[in-house]
Amino acid sequence: MPRRIIGAAFLSLDGVMQAPGGPEEDWTGGFDQGGWLAALFDEGIGNQVDSVFKPPFDLLLGRRTYEIFAAHWPFAPEGDEIGALFRTIRKYVLTSRDAPLAWEGSERLADLDALAALRDSDGPNLVIQGSSTLYPQLLERGLLDRLVTMTAPVVLGKGKRMFGDGTPPRSLELVEHRLTRNGIAMATYEVKGAVEQADFQFPEPTAEELARRARITAGEGW
């Protein structure tokens, strides 16, 4: 049975997903708010993470998130459930670099064509954690099937975003929504396709509206 690609991401209200787990996780770009999710962690998030990482599945990671994981999870103490789970599953890394992947069970995917072929093969679903650079690429190619977001009630102002400039427009369908006691909004979406458009305007635009459009077309400022 073909696989599905499922994204799972911790987000701030302004869409930042950089370094949710700690100050030293990823400070690139001068990001100094690392650990913003860890401070709000509660049993609701724990339950959602458990549901996302429910075997069988394989991990799909970008290079930077892979490096963060590979420096941490192989060394998790005995009895750590996520660490033990990650040791047993396959880790696929989408990267153009040919540097070796030392974490046991890791495999390089050179490009999106290789990922598309993997998705079409038989095997468990591919779960993304972190890896902000993957989402625009996957949407563009129609490779993202489901998205699970865990949005914290914080605004960070800067940092890596899931959907930055250059992200293609897509519509999603909400299939589940819950709220944790610390205010984390957890939502699950299925990716549908093109964005549907409608119109709140009057059937016949007013003269003022036509003049406004003309000013925009001419590039006039306020």
Side-chain angles (χ1 to χ4, degrees):
M1 184 175 180
R3 307 167 187 255
R4 304 184 80 213
I5 296 180
I6 302 169
F10 302 117
L11 300 173
S12 67
L13 281 176
D14 53 340
V16 175
M17 56 185 298
Q18 186 171 352
E24 303 302 321
E25 188 175 286
D26 182 4
W27 60 91
T28 55
F31 188 71
D32 58 0
Q33 298 296 317
W36 51 270
L37 188 279
L40 293 168
F41 195 88
D42 58 25
E43 69 275 9
I45 304 176
N47 291 337
Q48 185 76 313
V49 169
D50 288 344
S51 70
V52 168
F53 292 141
K54 184 176 180 180
F57 71 94
D58 291 333
L59 271 179
L60 173 62
L61 304 170
R63 179 72 198 203
R64 187 173 293 277
T65 299
Y66 172 81
E67 291 175 345
I68 293 170
F69 277 29
H72 176 82
W73 289 115
F75 311 101
E78 204 62 40
D80 187 296
E81 294 182 3
I82 297 293
L85 176 62
F86 282 0
R87 291 188 191 100
T88 64
I89 63 171
R90 199 77 184 156
K91 280 78 69 174
Y92 292 96
V93 188
L94 186 63
T95 176
S96 58
R97 296 172 54 189
D98 58 3
L101 304 174
W103 192 7
E104 182 181 3
S106 300
E107 183 174 332
R108 175 177 173 269
L109 297 173
D111 51 34
L112 289 175
D113 289 336
L115 175 57
L118 177 65
R119 177 175 175 260
D120 289 340
S121 67
D122 291 338
N125 290 334
L126 298 161
V127 175
I128 308 168
Q129 180 62 49
S131 307
S132 61
T133 59
L134 295 187
Y135 289 98
Q137 302 178 68
L138 297 181
L139 285 176
E140 185 68 45
R141 286 287 297 267
L143 295 176
L144 184 65
D145 299 293
R146 173 170 280 208
L147 179 61
V148 180
T149 60
M150 290 157 276
T151 305
V154 295
V155 175
L156 300 174
K158 64 178 181 179
K160 298 175 182 177
R161 287 175 165 81
M162 173 180 281
F163 300 125
D165 293 342
T167 301
R170 295 292 185 271
S171 63
L172 298 92
E173 180 180 1
L174 181 69
V175 296
E176 183 185 58
H177 186 267
R178 291 178 289 139
L179 193 67
T180 78
R181 62 178 173 81
N182 283 343
I184 308 296
M186 303 185 299
T188 301
Y189 303 92
E190 292 285 318
V191 180
K192 293 177 60 179
V195 175
E196 298 179 7
Q197 293 177 281
D199 196 343
F200 286 123
Q201 297 289 338
F202 298 136
E204 295 294 330
T206 64
E208 289 79 5
E209 171 62 15
L210 291 173
R212 183 189 71 85
R213 296 179 190 180
R215 289 194 299 272
I216 293 174
T217 301
E220 297 179 12
W222 291 100

